[in-house]
Amino acid sequence: MSGTRDVSRTVRVMPASPDAVSTLQAWCDAADDQTTLDASRLDLSNADLSGSDLALATFFDANLTGAKLVGADLYRAQSADAVLDHADLTEASLVKTDLRDTSMRSADLTRANLGSAEFWQVDARMASFRYSTLDGSSLLNVALEGADLTGASVQNTTLDVTLDDGTVVVGLSGTVRGPAHLSENGSTRELAGLELELWLNDRGANVQVLNSPPTATTYYARINDEFPRAHPMGVVRRRRAGTVTRDEAFTRNLRWESTEYLRRYEMGSTDGEHVEISEEEANRFISDVTGELQAGSPN
């Protein structure tokens, strides 16, 4: 092996700033493959660096408003106090990027890889993170009001962010650590543990909050003369964390889904009967149902 790497230094469209043009030209003309871009305090607005190798680049106090960085490699790049409003980072790699005090309002990070990235004091309102990878990332004091996280992955992600009713989380999946904050009616309140998990999942996400406070869960078997406790017609559970309560039934979709059965029973509006059972009994029912449905499904 030669020890060299394939470096792409591509500037498809130069910015208007002469200082920025001079710096980019010198970077493109560098003979060695170890030269990294230092674009600190430069105006790179509307430049097009799509597909470029910007690993280890520095963008301190740089202006990248409207810049195109489609498919660019920004591995371990640093952007403290930078502005990337309306920037296009579609399918870019921002693995281990350090984003501090950065504005990314309405930026497009669709299908970007932000694995293990560090966000601190970032304004990402109205930004698109559709189908992006945020696994292992830390989003600390990040504004996500109106942001779109459709289909994004958040495995073991720290999510200390501000959300609102405009934040889209359909298909967001993985495991996170909170707490987050919800902006509504002119004020902000904390969402932690089960409440955060329910807020996300009720809006179409499939997320588990890892640092939830202790949750009390009670399981019930739905029974009648034909379906005794040993072979119930269904299983429901009630989860409680603080003042938050969530009732769920294990369905033929082979997952726990929200149910109103227990609340209707408490109001006397259902003829169903149920008995409290252990978690072990509930798991046995789930195993039996899963096996039966999978055995009957077409190959």
Side-chain angles (χ1 to χ4, degrees):
M1 295 179 64
S2 64
T4 62
R5 60 192 178 93
D6 184 18
V7 175
S8 173
R9 295 187 179 127
T10 304
V11 182
R12 301 172 186 270
V13 176
M14 285 287 184
S17 165
D19 288 342
V21 170
S22 177
T23 297
L24 288 173
Q25 192 63 61
W27 171 67
C28 288
D29 293 342
D32 68 282
D33 60 10
Q34 301 302 313
T35 299
T36 58
L37 177 64
D38 183 357
S40 300
R41 293 172 292 281
L42 293 179
D43 184 355
L44 299 169
S45 55
N46 299 310
D48 188 347
L49 290 94
S50 297
S52 287
D53 185 340
L54 297 165
L56 304 175
T58 51
F59 297 98
F60 299 140
D61 201 24
N63 180 9
L64 290 105
T65 302
K68 290 187 177 180
L69 296 154
V70 177
D73 183 359
L74 290 120
Y75 174 73
R76 286 191 180 275
Q78 300 182 68
S79 67
D81 298 301
V83 178
L84 289 100
D85 295 349
H86 301 281
D88 188 350
L89 291 121
T90 303
E91 297 184 344
S93 175
L94 293 94
V95 174
K96 296 187 177 181
T97 299
D98 189 347
L99 299 155
R100 294 174 181 268
D101 297 294
T102 296
S103 180
M104 304 179 74
R105 298 188 68 171
S106 298
D108 189 351
L109 294 108
T110 300
R111 294 188 174 83
N113 186 351
L114 295 135
S116 300
E118 298 283 342
F119 291 74
W120 172 255
Q121 296 272 28
V122 172
D123 184 353
R125 286 175 286 179
M126 306 300 296
S128 173
F129 294 89
R130 292 173 62 87
Y131 306 103
S132 63
T133 300
L134 289 153
D135 299 349
S137 295
S138 295
L139 284 74
L140 304 176
N141 200 7
V142 175
L144 289 177
E145 295 99 315
D148 188 349
L149 288 92
T150 298
S153 175
V154 285
Q155 293 292 342
N156 201 25
T157 300
T158 301
L159 208 64
D160 184 1
V161 300
T162 301
L163 311 164
D164 69 1
D165 282 338
T167 306
V168 181
V169 294
V170 176
L172 179 72
S173 64
T175 54
V176 302
R177 290 179 170 82
H181 307 274
L182 179 63
S183 176
E184 57 182 359
N185 302 321
S187 61
T188 302
R189 66 182 181 87
E190 184 177 281
L191 287 176
L194 180 59
E195 187 176 15
L196 172 58
E197 188 173 304
L198 297 182
W199 191 92
L200 294 169
N201 294 345
D202 283 347
R203 287 162 176 79
N206 182 18
V207 169
Q208 178 186 4
V209 178
L210 296 176
N211 58 339
S212 299
T215 301
T217 304
T218 307
Y219 296 90
Y220 302 94
R222 296 188 60 185
I223 61 172
N224 59 23
D225 292 340
E226 185 178 353
F227 295 94
R229 176 174 178 154
H231 301 285
M233 69 175 69
V235 166
V236 297
R237 70 181 182 184
R238 169 164 287 177
R239 294 193 291 164
R240 304 178 186 85
T243 59
V244 181
T245 299
R246 173 77 161 191
D247 293 339
E248 298 167 316
F250 192 79
T251 72
R252 295 180 65 85
N253 294 321
L254 301 182
R255 62 174 179 260
W256 291 102
E257 297 179 338
S258 180
T259 180
E260 291 295 316
Y261 167 77
L262 291 173
R263 296 187 190 280
R264 292 200 307 270
Y265 181 87
E266 291 166 348
M267 295 172 61
S269 57
T270 178
D271 294 330
E273 293 293 336
H274 59 267
V275 293
E276 184 175 339
I277 59 174
S278 67
E279 182 177 4
E280 181 181 358
E281 289 174 291
N283 289 336
R284 186 162 56 246
F285 170 84
I286 291 170
S287 178
D288 291 344
V289 169
T290 301
E292 291 172 5
L293 291 178
Q294 290 178 344
S297 63
N299 293 328

